[in-house]
Amino acid sequence: MTVVVRLFAGLRERAGWSSREVEAATVADVWPALGLGDEPEGLLYAVNREYAEPGRELREGDEVALIPPVSGGAFRVTEEPLSLDAVVAEVADERAGGIATFTGTVRRQSRGREVTHLEYEAYAEMAEDVMGQIAADLLARHDLCAVAIHHRVGRVELGEASVVIAVSAPHRQAALEACREAIDTLKETVPLWKKEVYEGGEEWIGRGS
């Protein structure tokens, strides 16, 4: 089968091209067909903008995106205060025509009660991996340059940022859509839990809040 292969980031630079047709019957056949040496550990595949396992059979004309593992501090769970400037710097790219950001802050009122502060807990190692998977999915489905997500854990005071997301893209619409999808997906999938502390009580809210 002839399929279209797309490369991103370090893989694209390593190969010297971003898109090429190759012959492959399954996802597992794609990397050997590229002639780029050993397959990177943690490489993810997407077929027609959906994650795919190596054993998936391919059809004529399928698009196979190879998503390299993300390294560095682009996906971070931290007890330190968050910096919007730092997150924006991580997605800076000369190809970008726009950078969309989202900053989630602690509000005074929630569920009809007065909040004094929030406390976040996370399975940090898994949370950062899931953030990377969210970014890989967004890169496979949108025309983006980069994605960065930072989330606080521990005590977060009123008005402070609990999560900051930045997405850069050649065009603003892709950046805006991907940024919205990132926060919606993060709330549903990342192992983070939130305790709302009120005047006279407290409650664990959990994911999706």
Side-chain angles (χ1 to χ4, degrees):
M1 298 293 176
T2 301
V3 299
V4 178
V5 176
R6 295 185 63 192
L7 302 184
F8 299 91
L11 287 181
R12 173 180 49 76
E13 294 178 350
R14 174 176 170 180
W17 50 269
S18 60
S19 180
R20 176 172 295 179
E21 291 186 349
V22 302
E23 296 293 322
T26 68
V27 170
D29 297 328
V30 171
W31 181 263
L34 301 181
L36 297 177
D38 294 336
E39 180 176 343
E41 183 177 353
L43 184 66
L44 298 175
Y45 293 89
V47 176
N48 300 328
R49 302 184 179 183
E50 295 182 354
Y51 281 124
E53 296 297 324
R56 174 167 169 172
E57 294 184 356
L58 299 174
R59 297 180 179 179
E60 186 77 17
D62 279 348
E63 179 185 88
V64 183
L66 277 62
I67 315 297
V70 181
S71 61
F75 310 102
R76 182 178 302 161
V77 175
T78 177
E79 294 184 357
E80 300 299 320
L82 303 182
S83 165
L84 177 60
D85 289 341
V87 178
V88 168
E90 289 181 340
V91 301
D93 192 299
E94 292 182 352
R95 298 171 297 153
I99 297 176
T101 66
F102 172 81
T103 301
T105 56
V106 179
R107 62 182 183 270
R108 164 68 70 179
Q109 292 186 329
S110 177
R111 296 170 176 81
R113 305 176 73 176
E114 294 291 313
V115 175
T116 62
H117 65 276
L118 300 182
E119 294 179 8
Y120 283 93
E121 183 176 333
Y123 182 4
E125 299 85 352
M126 181 178 176
E128 292 177 352
D129 287 345
V130 174
M131 289 177 185
Q133 292 170 12
I134 292 171
D137 179 57
L138 293 172
L139 287 165
R141 294 186 295 103
H142 296 277
D143 182 17
L144 306 179
C145 298
V147 179
I149 305 172
H150 291 190
H151 205 296
R152 283 284 298 274
V153 289
R155 179 171 174 141
V156 187
E157 304 294 343
L158 294 176
E160 289 187 333
S162 58
V163 59
V164 180
I165 298 172
V167 179
S168 61
H171 304 288
R172 65 178 182 274
Q173 190 63 33
L176 290 168
E177 290 180 1
C179 190
R180 176 185 56 79
E181 288 185 26
I183 185 59
D184 289 345
T185 307
L186 182 147
K187 285 175 170 288
E188 295 174 355
T189 61
V190 175
L192 284 156
W193 299 270
K194 177 177 72 175
K195 179 193 286 185
E196 290 185 345
V197 181
Y198 314 109
E199 296 177 354
E202 60 186 33
E203 180 182 2
W204 283 103
I205 305 301
R207 293 188 330 201
S209 57

